[in-house]
Amino acid sequence: MGRGGQQTQDHNGPCESKFTWDDVKKHVNRKDQWIVVDKEVYDISTWSRRHPGGSKIISHYAGQDATEAFRAFHLDLNYIKKFLQPIRLGRLEDEATVEDKDKMVMADFEELTKTAHKLGYFKPSVTFFLLNIGQLILLEVMAYLILVNFGTGWLPYWLSIFCLATVQVQAGWVQHDFGHRSVFKSRIMNKLVHYYVMNITKGASREWWNHLHNQHHAKPNVVDKDPDVRLDALFVVGEEIPKKVAKERGKTLPFNWQHRYFFINIVSQEGSGCCVESHWFVWVSQSNHIPMEITSDKARTWVPLQLYATCDIQKSWFNDWFTGHLNFQIEHHLFPKMPRHNLYKVAPLVESLCKKHDIPYCVKPIGVAFHDIVKSLKHSGEIWQHYYESYH
């Protein structure tokens, strides 16, 4: 057949191809990629380039079961399968090698997801998001009025800078909501508001953000797949990357000092507003991931994949506002389509599931979370230094 499968007569109709996991795992090259969704085998080799979420996000599951990821990113899987039908190759005839513990976690998480839907946790509050957009407009107007009415002295200047920096950071959290399409049912409406907040308010590219951020959610903290840990131009993170960089490169940077020049790097951007925004954004965005496990792709099932790569920061009104509710990073990664104002509601259910199956569920005070960024950079830098000295 040329594709490694065999044709059998289906009792419902015409012949269809049957495949094994050994067949699927052979198709992992850039120009030859298969995935499995609900035991259906699909050839995404060409179609991945037309994937609305970006080619990389789906390609990262080549040779693997993408069912749980598809369910997380697409609330209506039956609707999505209509678009997949032209690239369907056939059915999988054997089961994936999944440990019994993982099967139980998968089953319980599926029930938890159904419960979250029944409780309305996936239903957004339009009022909440309108108030957040209103906050952006109000702060931007305030920044202008402060300078108009009080001049350009040091105090009004820094008050204005603070307002503008807050606009930029909070706009980052707001665009994140629309980028995940967790506000409107209409894909077009989410896309339009996302474009306005990201491209106009922040002066960045929504396409660029989608391309990178979707990969991060698909394979968080996975080396060579998550772009958020592809930092080795300036930093080495985790335990695998420092060893690889130490072996393959000369001493391009003193990575053993990275926990110190980390602070310099944050403030290196031009402009005071950028400086404030950079600190704010970097401390929040890195606190949930960098101190966690960073490793090569182990083809983990959805729940452990996300839990080993993320942690939460304790809930408070300040932490919720300061982080844009991304202090509930575990819940956000498990349910990327869930509106952020409901993440705290589903958190007790997630924590119970983790306790039941002995999966680490990490929640930290915000100060500890920030401290752990520097601590993890120092640890990774020491690993790099040890291996660099042994290789060179």
Side-chain angles (χ1 to χ4, degrees):
M1 289 182 58
R3 287 185 166 182
Q6 58 180 346
Q7 288 190 337
T8 58
Q9 181 71 34
D10 191 287
H11 68 277
N12 292 323
C15 293
E16 72 165 12
S17 296
K18 300 288 186 180
F19 299 95
T20 66
W21 271 109
D22 286 338
D23 296 326
V24 174
K25 291 176 181 179
K26 294 175 183 177
H27 299 269
V28 295
N29 299 321
R30 185 175 181 181
K31 296 182 179 180
D32 179 23
Q33 299 179 331
W34 291 7
I35 63 169
V36 174
V37 178
D38 277 342
K39 298 201 73 175
E40 306 282 346
V41 181
Y42 299 96
D43 183 350
I44 63 167
S45 306
T46 301
W47 183 82
S48 63
R49 293 194 291 271
R50 300 196 298 274
H51 182 234
S55 62
K56 290 292 185 70
I57 180 178
I58 192 169
S59 297
H60 288 334
Y61 277 89
Q64 299 179 19
D65 191 333
T67 305
E68 290 186 297
F70 260 70
R71 288 175 177 167
F73 285 106
H74 311 100
L75 295 183
D76 188 348
L77 195 59
N78 290 327
Y79 173 75
I80 297 300
K81 282 186 176 180
K82 294 178 182 178
F83 297 95
L84 292 176
Q85 193 59 34
I87 60 172
R88 181 180 178 273
L89 298 177
R91 284 192 62 80
L92 197 68
E93 65 178 357
D94 62 347
E95 295 288 339
T97 306
V98 179
E99 294 184 5
D100 290 340
K101 175 184 176 181
D102 288 331
K103 289 180 181 178
M104 290 188 288
V105 173
M106 293 166 69
D108 283 352
F109 181 68
E110 187 173 352
E111 288 302 312
L112 191 160
T113 303
K114 291 178 182 177
T115 300
H117 277 284
K118 289 178 183 178
L119 293 173
Y121 293 167
F122 284 89
K123 184 177 181 181
S125 167
V126 176
T127 301
F128 172 86
F129 292 108
L130 287 176
L131 287 173
N132 272 275
I133 293 175
Q135 174 190 212
L136 305 182
I137 297 171
L138 176 63
L139 287 168
E140 192 145 15
V141 170
M142 284 178 59
Y144 172 76
L145 291 178
I146 286 171
L147 294 180
V148 168
N149 290 285
F150 299 100
T152 56
W154 280 108
L155 181 57
Y157 170 77
W158 280 106
L159 285 174
S160 180
I161 286 295
F162 178 77
C163 289
L164 287 174
T166 303
V167 168
Q168 288 298 308
V169 173
Q170 293 295 330
W173 310 146
V174 171
Q175 70 82 23
H176 182 261
D177 301 316
F178 290 96
H180 276 290
R181 303 199 303 277
S182 60
V183 182
F184 298 115
K185 289 184 178 179
S186 167
R187 178 185 178 90
I188 299 298
M189 285 299 297
N190 280 306
K191 185 175 180 179
L192 287 174
V193 181
H194 189 210
Y195 179 87
Y196 172 79
V197 178
M198 192 63 170
N199 291 53
I200 297 177
T201 303
K202 289 190 66 63
S205 165
R206 66 170 296 275
E207 288 78 13
W208 163 81
W209 183 88
N210 279 332
H211 174 69
L212 297 179
H213 195 68
N214 286 338
Q215 292 181 67
H216 164 67
H217 270 272
K219 291 288 184 178
N221 281 18
V222 173
V223 178
D224 295 329
K225 292 190 175 182
D226 181 0
D228 284 11
V229 297
R230 208 174 297 150
L231 306 170
D232 49 289
L234 291 172
F235 302 100
V236 289
V237 292
E239 300 201 359
E240 293 182 16
I241 295 175
K243 298 174 186 177
K244 181 180 179 181
V245 171
K247 182 177 181 180
E248 296 178 356
R249 300 186 198 169
K251 193 172 183 178
T252 53
L253 280 173
F255 292 109
N256 52 309
W257 288 77
Q258 64 179 6
H259 60 291
R260 298 182 180 179
Y261 67 69
F262 169 72
F263 296 92
I264 301 173
N265 184 67
I266 297 177
V267 301
S268 62
Q269 300 185 49
E270 281 189 38
S272 301
C274 287
C275 175
V276 175
E277 179 196 0
S278 296
H279 264 290
W280 191 337
F281 175 78
V282 169
W283 285 106
V284 171
S285 62
Q286 301 305 318
S287 62
N288 303 110
H289 294 292
I290 293 298
M292 306 303 290
E293 181 179 286
I294 300 171
T295 185
S296 54
D297 195 354
K298 297 180 180 179
R300 282 172 167 158
T301 55
W302 188 251
V303 173
L305 171 67
Q306 306 300 335
L307 265 294
Y308 282 100
T310 58
C311 68
D312 279 1
I313 294 174
Q314 289 176 346
K315 177 176 174 55
S316 71
W317 71 265
F318 175 78
N319 289 352
D320 292 355
W321 174 81
F322 188 78
T323 67
H325 290 90
L326 294 182
N327 48 331
F328 292 97
Q329 192 72 207
I330 292 172
E331 290 70 27
H332 171 58
H333 266 258
L334 291 174
F335 308 103
K337 294 293 183 184
M338 184 176 289
R340 60 167 153 133
H341 54 76
N342 286 332
L343 293 175
Y344 79 95
K345 297 177 182 178
V346 79
L349 301 179
V350 174
E351 185 176 9
S352 295
L353 182 147
C354 291
K355 286 182 178 179
K356 176 180 178 181
H357 296 285
D358 196 27
I359 299 173
Y361 182 87
C362 184
V363 183
K364 305 176 182 179
I366 193 168
V368 172
F370 288 173
H371 174 266
D372 284 351
I373 298 174
V374 182
K375 182 180 177 181
S376 65
L377 287 173
K378 185 175 186 294
H379 175 67
S380 297
E382 289 171 346
I383 294 174
W384 170 85
Q385 183 178 25
H386 172 76
Y387 280 87
Y388 177 82
E389 291 174 350
S390 65
Y391 287 129
H392 303 278

